[in-house]
Amino acid sequence: MPGASAGPVCPYCATNLAAAGPSVSTCPACGAPLDVALKVSPSGWTEMPATRDMARIQCGHSSVQIEGTMVPVADFALAQGDGVYFPHHELLWKEPAVNVTQRSLAGAWKRMLAGLPVRMLDAVGPGRIAFSRDAAGETLAVPLHPGLSVDVREHLFMVATHSVTYDWFQSGIWFQTRSGDETETHYPIGMLMDRFTAPQQPGLLLIHAHGNAFLRHLAQGERILVKPSGLLYKDSSVSAHLHFERPTPGKFSFFKWGERYMWLALTGPGRVAVGLRAHARSGWSDRGRRADDRDAVVAASVRAVTGTFERLPETFYLGLSPQ
């Protein structure tokens, strides 16, 4: 996979395109079409175009072809000794020559409590093997250049090459609600996050997006608020914390406490990718309260409530959680 350096680069993954030639129509590292107009909103978000049907992505001596558009399939052609790892439910088919073994993960108990797989599978070539989420959406290819790390929201990871290391950490994004004597802890982006790093060699990471995906580069100290469920991935250099606010009331309202907004505050430098979900929302909405009750938020991993919004009442207790 080409590295990020001077010269013409892919606007989506920053891969050097000099070696690909001037007539290349698809990025060889992420599969994004290069012969279409770059779509950037006035607010700075770049629309990530859907990978074309049968687009081929090079990853070392191996390659992967993205097949289909509504429910894509990632069809890997693994070279001798090259390999990938993946959650077992992503596997669609494989050739008998591809050797598949189990990969144990540390912290199995916490992962089980978070609803994440406690084991992954390794596949080593030569041969072909294919993966699919079995759900409508897009398969996003995220090339990782040496020294780069990205944090991915849980349940989005599909497959990664062996040159990419895997780790997980507690997100530190939580809040609690109390109903009577019962207290419940909620994790808007999940209890855990996946971290993928390319320590020395470039690698490839595939994740699933439920709908359209958008990318934005945050400058040093630049801050943006996004709906927690909209986060796809971020560079590890981007910090995140939970942020509550509510508009300054213009008139009396019986639902004053319920009219609050819950955000994920992201601070640069680095990339942030967000996606739109096609199905109906459930559970906690972007207003920070359940659709089926009005439990009061009693604690949260919040660092600041600022801006042109009124501060929350003094009965709101802040509980910081380590990042």
Side-chain angles (χ1 to χ4, degrees):
M1 181 185 302
S5 61
V9 298
C10 173
Y12 309 104
C13 69
T15 293
N16 182 17
L17 300 173
S23 60
V24 63
S25 61
T26 301
C27 176
C30 70
L34 301 175
D35 54 357
V36 297
L38 188 66
K39 297 181 180 179
V40 183
S41 70
S43 56
W45 290 98
T46 300
E47 181 180 353
M48 301 173 69
T51 304
R52 286 195 176 116
D53 189 16
M54 298 298 179
R56 185 172 178 271
I57 300 171
Q58 194 67 32
C59 43
H61 298 292
S62 302
S63 64
V64 56
Q65 187 167 274
I66 307 300
E67 303 165 352
T69 56
M70 182 172 291
V71 185
V73 174
D75 184 351
F76 277 83
L78 297 177
Q80 178 70 45
D82 283 357
V84 295
Y85 59 92
F86 52 94
H88 68 89
H89 57 270
E90 304 290 345
L91 181 59
L92 182 61
W93 59 262
K94 79 177 189 72
E95 292 179 344
V98 177
N99 185 34
V100 176
T101 56
Q102 283 194 2
R103 167 186 288 213
S104 296
L105 299 174
W109 177 247
K110 285 187 177 180
R111 292 183 63 85
M112 184 172 64
L113 290 178
L116 294 174
V118 297
R119 288 186 177 87
M120 288 193 189
L121 298 180
D122 272 307
V124 178
R128 305 191 73 97
I129 185 170
F131 307 91
S132 178
R133 176 51 63 95
D134 289 338
E138 296 182 11
T139 297
L140 299 182
V142 184
L144 295 179
H145 305 299
L148 182 65
S149 296
V150 296
D151 301 333
V152 180
R153 188 165 59 85
E154 63 182 32
H155 302 299
L156 298 181
F157 168 55
M158 291 183 61
V159 58
T161 58
H162 275 178
S163 56
V164 175
T165 62
Y166 171 76
D167 196 5
W168 58 269
F169 62 96
Q170 291 185 285
S171 67
I173 308 297
W174 58 270
F175 65 94
Q176 293 178 332
T177 57
R178 186 166 56 210
S179 179
D181 295 331
E182 297 183 357
T183 300
E184 184 177 0
T185 302
H186 307 267
Y187 300 90
I189 62 171
M191 182 185 298
L192 308 176
M193 287 195 76
D194 296 326
R195 174 165 291 173
F196 300 91
T197 306
Q200 297 178 339
Q201 299 295 323
L204 181 67
L205 165 69
L206 298 184
I207 65 174
H208 177 79
H210 296 283
N212 298 88
F214 300 86
L215 184 70
R216 181 166 175 169
H217 292 262
L218 298 181
Q220 177 71 43
E222 184 179 3
R223 186 165 176 260
I224 192 168
L225 306 178
V226 303
K227 183 166 66 174
S229 62
L231 178 67
L232 294 177
Y233 69 87
K234 66 180 183 68
D235 285 340
S236 297
S237 57
V238 176
S239 62
H241 66 273
L242 203 58
H243 177 97
F244 282 88
E245 62 187 12
R246 63 183 171 87
T248 302
K251 59 182 180 179
F252 177 78
S253 171
F254 286 103
F255 303 103
K256 181 177 178 180
W257 173 240
E259 294 172 350
R260 63 191 183 276
Y261 293 81
M262 179 178 64
W263 301 103
L264 182 65
L266 302 170
T267 305
R271 299 173 301 170
V272 173
V274 298
L276 306 179
R277 300 178 69 89
H279 57 77
R281 291 195 302 253
S282 62
W284 281 85
S285 69
D286 49 0
R287 288 197 171 195
R289 60 186 176 89
R290 293 191 72 89
D292 54 355
D293 63 41
R294 295 178 187 153
D295 292 341
V297 177
V298 296
S301 58
V302 181
R303 292 181 181 171
V305 182
T306 58
T308 59
F309 291 78
E310 185 182 58
R311 287 187 175 274
L312 295 173
E314 295 181 358
T315 53
F316 184 88
Y317 300 97
L318 306 184
L320 295 180
S321 179
Q323 294 293 311

